[in-house]
């Protein structure tokens, strides 16, 4: 799927192996590909330990990759990082600030180091809703407030690309909604947002496109709908008066049926009309027949639950085959 | 420049920096207060009393000298055969400057090569020795600068270590590197800011300290002879003390940056003191290694502050029978400058190289 829109973030074949004296080498990112287009909110999804933070750190020059090519805003990084850094706002992992400074002072020092005018500090404090607590020491902030402060710091430069690692962590539902609105607002002004998460509920609602990774490799990517469609297994929920008989009848007719407490689930259904027809032929009348569109959450669980097992040979060109890997 | 401005405000906004300065200022105030409290301007009565006391002492010495010369001219036979004329120095006898009056015991004679006039010299008696203690600026300012240097060097080490160590361990170093992805520039700006800040505050503190010493001398002691030369020398002492503090700051900074934690630098410092300055010291002394002091940084610090450190090496006397000459040796200020400078630069270089390549994760 080649797009005419420019990629603001592109990763090809990124590998990173952490070498630790005590634990031995650990492959955190294993040939990752990723592409984020301008003006999108892109979800970077994967379970804990799948390499999201490592990838983002590598992009930002904090970690040296073993191999791979990366570009940000069309420039090769990390070599061109000093030039593009002015247009990138980022928070990586848990927001960690110096606890004894107030939120405002923290931002002012950063603003000064980055040559950002002082008034901008008040603007971003307002934007993330920290205005009233800006004078308090960061130590006294809740996790959610620290998260907001982190986002504020990332927004200081009015970035073209905003990279947020697990920004929803520690936010209450209202905070998550505010954050979502904030991001929508940013995107309307032309900012591209990349946000990583291992919690998918929010991401599904806010993202235009996603990259799903597992064990350091991409297992799915693209627009949210297309990822979902690719994972559609033709599941239908069926309610009838007599479950047992209906299940037997349908199994007899070759359907894959599981019985739940008050309904049946049919899998691999190409045309639901056949279900209606089969049951009607046996004088059973369907009270409900609902297609089960996969939500991102279940897709995510499936995709990341089908990772190659350790010991199984890792395949070359993994990303190309990613969708194929989805079904069990 | 922007980075420098940011680091500058961070340095002095930090509670640790402020606390350390507060502690140092309190400590110096305490020392100054103690000196002021124990120092007294000599009153006329006290001077007169001291003069009487000193005169008695001088008279006694004059008398002893006469007896000594007499004894040298006419050596009395001594009870123990084989021993030469007079008592060995160190045997019980009247020490020079001993309490006057009472029984005049047998006079002691000087060791060979020293005349009676040198041994009992009334001119050595100074009225001042019989006065209550008086703080003298000209006499003691040098020592006070050394005290300041030692205290400020410890502050500098701790502030240097925490300035970068807390940044690493709190994660704000990572934030800063995301913000300004030029690692070496970020680290060196931080170091430069630290050193510059400490040089400025150190110079101010030292000036205040010397001024306080002068004030104490002026109102509760004696200033003494202050010349252009002695002031210059005092200025150089102060400069060397500040230089030492900056080296300590750089070392603390480098260690904490390498270990990414303030505690790392503190641990290395304590470890060094225990393992090297104490442990190795004991081992080397037990095994009679010649010139042990040369293996310890503390000797170089001492030499640096004092311009020269004198040591006596007794190891040649270990198996010597009879006479042996202990070796006197010294460490010069220049030796110290080289050793301390190279150690500091090497540590800073290692921390910069590590900064270049490491993963900030
Ligand atoms: N500094 C590090 N040293 C060694 N291993 C690390 C380091 N950071 C992360 N890892 C390992 O790399 C893997 C990926 O971690 P991470 O990128 O943090 O995943 P995520 O952000 O998706 O949770 C994990 O197995 C983690 O234990
Ligand atoms: Mg993470």
């Amino acid at each position: 799927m080649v797009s005419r829109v420019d990629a603001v973030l592109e990763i090809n074949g990124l590998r990173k192996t952490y070498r630790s004296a005590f634990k031995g080498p650990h492959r955190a990112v294993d040939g990752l590909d990723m592409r984020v287009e301008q003006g999108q909110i892109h979800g970077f999804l994967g379970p804990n330990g799948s390499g999201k933070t490592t990838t983002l750190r590598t992009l930002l020059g904090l970690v040296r990759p073993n191999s791979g090519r990366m570009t940000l805003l069309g420039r090769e990084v990390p070599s061109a990082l000093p030039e593009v850094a002015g247009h990138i706002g980022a928070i990586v992992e848990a927001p960690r600030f110096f606890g004894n400074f107030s939120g405002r002072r923290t931002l002012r020092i950063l603003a000064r180091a980055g040559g950002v005018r002082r008034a901008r500090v008040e603007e971003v404090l307002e934007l993330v809703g920290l205005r009233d607590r800006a004078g308090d020491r960061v130590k006294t902030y809740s996790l959610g407030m620290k998260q907001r402060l982190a986002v504020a710091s990332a927004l200081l430069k009015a970035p073209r690309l905003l990279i947020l690692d697990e920004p929803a962590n520690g936010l209450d539902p209202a905070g998550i909604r505010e954050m979502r609105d904030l991001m929508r607002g940013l995107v309307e002004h032309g900012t591209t947002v990349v946000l990583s998460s291992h919690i998918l509920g929010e991401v599904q609602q806010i993202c235009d496109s996603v990259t799903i990774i597992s064990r350091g490799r991409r297992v799915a990517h693209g627009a949210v709908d297309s990822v979902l469609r690719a994972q559609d297994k033709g599941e239908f929920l069926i309610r009838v008066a007599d479950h047992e008989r209906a299940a037997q009848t349908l199994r007899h007719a070759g359907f894959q049926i599981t019985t739940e407490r008050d309904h049946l689930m049919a899998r691999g259904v190409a045309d639901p009309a056949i279900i209606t027809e089969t049951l009607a032929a046996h004088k059973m009348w369907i009270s409900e027949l609902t297609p089960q569109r996969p939500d991102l959450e279940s897709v995510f669980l499936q995709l990341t639950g089908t990772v190659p097992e350790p010991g199984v040979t890792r395949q070359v060109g993994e990303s190309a085959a990613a969708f194929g890997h989805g079904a069990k | 420049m922007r980075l420098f401005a940011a680091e500058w405000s961070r340095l002095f906004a930090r509670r640790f920096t402020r606390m350390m300065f507060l502690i140092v200022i309190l400590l110096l105030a305490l020392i100054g207060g103690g000196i002021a409290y124990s120092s007294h301007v000599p009153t006329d009565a006290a001077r007169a009393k001291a003069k009487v006391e000193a005169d008695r002492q001088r008279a006694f010495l004059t008398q002893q000298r006469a007896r000594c010369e007499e004894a040298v001219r006419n050596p009395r036979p001594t009870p123990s055969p084989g021993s030469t004329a007079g008592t060995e120095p160190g045997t019980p006898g009247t020490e020079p400057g001993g309490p006057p009056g009472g029984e005049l015991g047998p006079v002691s004679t000087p060791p060979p090569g020293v005349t009676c006039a040198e041994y009992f010299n009334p001119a050595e008696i100074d009225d001042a020795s019989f006065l209550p203690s008086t703080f003298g600026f000209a006499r003691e300012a040098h020592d006070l600068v050394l005290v300041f240097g030692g205290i400020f060097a410890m502050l500098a080490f701790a502030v240097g270590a925490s300035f970068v160590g807390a940044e690493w361990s709190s994660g704000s170093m990572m934030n800063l590197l995301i913000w300004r992805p030029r690692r070496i520039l970020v680290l060196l700006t931080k170091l430069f800011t630290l050193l510059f800040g400490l040089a400025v505050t150190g110079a101010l503190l030292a000036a205040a300290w010397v001024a306080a010493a002068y004030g104490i001398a002026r109102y509760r002691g004696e200033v003494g002879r202050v010349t252009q030369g002695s002031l210059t020398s005092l200025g150089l002492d102060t400069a060397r003390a500040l230089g030492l503090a900056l080296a300590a700051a750089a070392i603390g900074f480098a260690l904490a940056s390498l270990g990414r934690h303030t505690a790392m630098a503190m641990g290395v410092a304590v470890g060094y003191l225990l393992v090297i300055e104490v442990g190795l010291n004991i081992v080397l002394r037990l095994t009679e290694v010649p010139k042990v002091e040369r293996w310890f940084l503390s000797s170089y610090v001492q030499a640096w502050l004092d311009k020269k450190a004198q040591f006596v090496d007794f190891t040649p006397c270990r198996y010597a029978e009879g006479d042996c000459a202990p070796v006197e040796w010294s460490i010069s200020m220049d030796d110290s400058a080289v050793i301390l400078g190279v150690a500091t630069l090497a540590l800073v270089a290692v921390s910069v190289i590590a900064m270049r390549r490491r993963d900030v994760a």
Side-chain angles (χ1 to χ4, degrees):
Chain A
M1 186 180 68
V2 180
S3 166
R4 277 169 287 110
V5 189
D6 289 338
V8 290
L9 183 162
E10 201 161 13
I11 298 176
N12 289 304
L14 180 68
R15 286 175 204 277
K16 172 64 190 179
T17 302
Y18 285 113
R19 302 195 178 278
S20 140
F22 305 110
K23 287 177 282 179
H26 179 91
R27 201 177 299 184
V29 179
D30 190 14
L32 179 73
D33 299 304
M34 183 171 173
R35 183 184 157 93
V36 177
E37 283 157 11
Q38 171 127 36
Q40 289 192 334
I41 298 185
H42 188 91
F44 185 32
L45 312 176
N48 281 325
S50 55
K52 303 182 294 294
T53 301
T54 303
T55 303
L56 299 181
R57 277 191 176 134
T58 313
L59 272 173
L60 295 166
L62 296 173
V63 163
R64 289 168 165 252
N66 297 101
S67 63
R69 249 186 97 251
M70 300 174 290
T71 60
L72 285 177
L73 303 172
R75 305 285 308 272
E76 190 107 6
V77 292
S79 52
L81 207 47
E83 287 97 88
V84 294
H87 304 292
I88 295 170
I91 58 165
V92 175
E93 201 131 83
R96 291 187 298 176
F97 291 105
F98 200 63
N100 280 324
F101 286 178
S102 71
R104 181 176 281 118
R105 168 170 263 151
T106 304
L107 293 182
R108 280 193 180 162
I109 289 179
L110 276 179
R112 193 176 283 179
V116 173
R117 69 204 154 77
R118 219 171 195 203
R120 179 72 185 157
V121 170
E122 300 306 319
E123 286 171 25
V124 296
L125 282 169
E126 179 77 47
L127 262 177
V128 301
L130 266 185
R131 187 191 54 207
D132 297 337
R133 294 289 304 274
D136 297 352
R137 282 200 271 146
V138 172
K139 219 190 250 185
T140 66
Y141 286 9
S142 69
L143 191 54
M145 289 165 68
K146 285 183 189 159
Q147 201 65 264
R148 286 163 194 251
L149 180 63
V151 173
S153 76
L155 287 176
L156 271 179
K157 293 180 196 170
R160 283 170 56 198
L161 171 63
L162 183 64
I163 296 175
L164 304 173
D165 193 14
E166 310 265 359
N169 268 7
L171 289 184
D172 51 21
I176 289 174
R177 166 166 296 181
E178 284 169 32
M179 204 54 86
R180 201 148 59 200
D181 294 344
L182 172 63
M183 282 174 209
R184 273 279 154 239
L186 291 171
V187 168
E188 271 159 30
H189 289 94
T191 310
T192 308
V193 180
V194 174
L195 53 107
S196 85
S197 183
H198 68 279
I199 308 163
L200 300 153
E202 298 78 36
V203 173
Q204 181 170 9
Q205 300 174 45
I206 188 176
C207 290
D208 304 307
S209 58
V210 293
T211 297
I212 300 179
I213 70 168
S214 174
R215 297 210 180 179
R217 295 199 238 182
R218 181 165 70 179
V219 290
H221 69 289
V224 173
D225 317 340
S226 74
V227 170
L228 292 181
R229 227 177 302 121
Q231 297 305 316
D232 194 337
K233 295 192 196 65
E235 283 190 333
F236 284 84
L237 180 151
I238 307 162
R239 278 184 219 279
V240 286
D242 189 345
H243 282 145
E244 294 306 321
R245 199 157 71 90
Q248 264 176 14
T249 311
L250 287 172
R251 283 199 188 103
H252 212 73
F255 286 100
Q256 231 184 309
I257 302 293
T258 50
T259 41
E260 306 289 335
R261 193 151 45 79
D262 60 345
H263 65 267
L264 302 177
M265 288 296 272
R267 200 158 284 124
V269 181
D271 184 359
I274 303 175
I275 294 180
T276 323
E277 195 191 326
T278 310
L279 291 179
H282 290 79
K283 300 267 186 269
M284 281 182 280
W285 312 113
I286 290 173
S287 59
E288 183 182 344
L289 180 63
T290 318
Q292 298 295 290
R293 295 285 167 236
D295 60 354
L296 201 52
E297 185 86 35
S298 54
V299 168
F300 174 77
L301 290 176
Q302 270 167 22
L303 285 174
T304 57
T306 58
V307 290
E309 294 301 317
V312 173
T313 317
R314 289 179 191 270
Q315 289 162 41
V316 193
E318 166 72 15
S319 59
F323 275 3
H325 270 5
K328 235 184 186 141
Chain B
M1 198 57 218
R2 294 186 321 219
L3 261 183
F4 173 76
E7 293 295 345
W8 182 263
S9 63
R10 186 181 346 240
L11 175 61
F12 292 105
R14 300 204 48 225
R15 284 215 313 175
F16 187 83
T17 312
R18 294 180 177 180
M19 285 293 289
M20 287 307 290
F21 270 97
L22 192 68
I23 290 172
V24 162
I25 289 169
L26 284 178
L27 204 60
L28 291 177
L30 216 63
I31 295 171
I35 292 170
Y37 177 77
S38 62
S39 172
H40 299 279
V41 184
T43 59
D44 284 347
R47 271 186 219 284
K49 207 171 139 229
K51 183 162 176 5
V52 171
E53 198 64 23
D55 282 346
R56 274 178 60 193
Q57 197 63 246
R58 280 189 280 261
F60 172 75
L61 284 185
T62 313
Q63 188 189 14
Q64 286 295 82
R65 182 168 74 185
R67 292 184 64 208
C68 168
E69 279 159 355
E70 173 65 27
V72 169
R73 268 195 303 275
N74 308 309
R76 252 189 299 163
T78 44
S80 70
S83 92
T84 47
T87 337
E88 297 274 334
T91 51
T94 314
E95 292 297 319
E103 285 274 297
L104 286 180
V107 71
S108 62
T109 50
V114 181
T115 66
C116 286
E118 284 164 347
Y119 201 47
F120 299 106
N121 184 3
E124 275 180 355
I125 304 297
D126 187 0
D127 287 8
S129 328
F130 298 93
L131 284 170
S133 90
T134 305
F135 172 70
F137 180 78
R139 235 180 316 125
E140 297 175 58
H142 169 75
D143 292 341
L144 285 190
V145 167
L146 295 198
V147 167
F148 170 81
I151 292 176
F152 194 67
M154 283 189 250
L155 168 138
F157 182 86
V159 168
S162 134
F163 187 47
V164 71
E167 293 277 299
W168 277 117
S169 53
S170 73
S172 39
M173 181 64 104
M174 195 171 82
N175 285 337
L176 189 57
L177 288 178
I178 292 175
W179 194 249
R180 288 296 298 269
R182 292 179 188 270
R183 296 186 177 195
I184 306 300
L185 181 75
V186 163
L187 190 75
L188 289 184
T189 305
K190 220 176 235 309
L191 177 61
F192 174 77
T193 311
L194 170 78
L195 296 183
F196 186 69
L198 286 176
V200 170
T201 50
L204 291 176
L205 263 184
W209 179 238
V210 171
Y214 183 85
I216 294 170
R218 178 81 181 68
Y219 294 103
R220 289 192 64 88
E222 57 188 20
V223 173
R225 239 168 65 82
V226 177
T227 61
Q228 187 66 45
S230 72
L231 279 184
T232 308
S233 162
L234 197 62
L236 289 177
D237 290 345
T238 311
R240 284 202 314 279
L242 289 180
L244 178 72
L246 296 192
I251 290 173
F253 182 92
L255 288 176
S257 183
L258 275 173
R260 305 196 207 187
H261 210 289
T262 313
M264 179 70 172
M266 301 301 181
V268 169
V270 171
Y272 170 78
L273 286 180
L274 289 182
V275 175
I276 306 291
E277 295 280 346
V278 177
L280 185 64
N281 200 339
I282 292 173
V283 170
L284 292 186
R285 280 179 199 280
L286 284 179
T287 51
E288 304 266 343
V289 171
K291 302 188 181 176
V292 277
E293 289 86 355
R294 77 168 113 184
W295 302 108
F296 304 109
L297 278 180
S298 55
S299 315
Y300 295 93
V301 168
Q302 187 192 337
W304 172 248
L305 289 177
D306 256 340
K307 294 189 204 138
K308 186 175 183 174
Q310 292 276 9
F311 302 101
V312 185
D313 182 6
F314 289 102
T315 52
C317 296
R318 173 75 194 260
Y319 302 108
E321 296 185 359
D323 283 354
C324 86
V327 179
E328 283 198 25
W329 66 286
S330 62
I331 299 175
S332 74
M333 192 170 81
D334 296 345
D335 300 340
S336 293
V338 171
I339 298 277
L340 297 177
V342 166
T344 308
L345 284 182
L347 263 177
V348 170
V350 170
S351 73
V352 168
I353 291 168
M355 182 72 174
R356 247 184 118 78
R357 9 188 70 233
R358 74 176 14 160
D359 284 345
V360 181

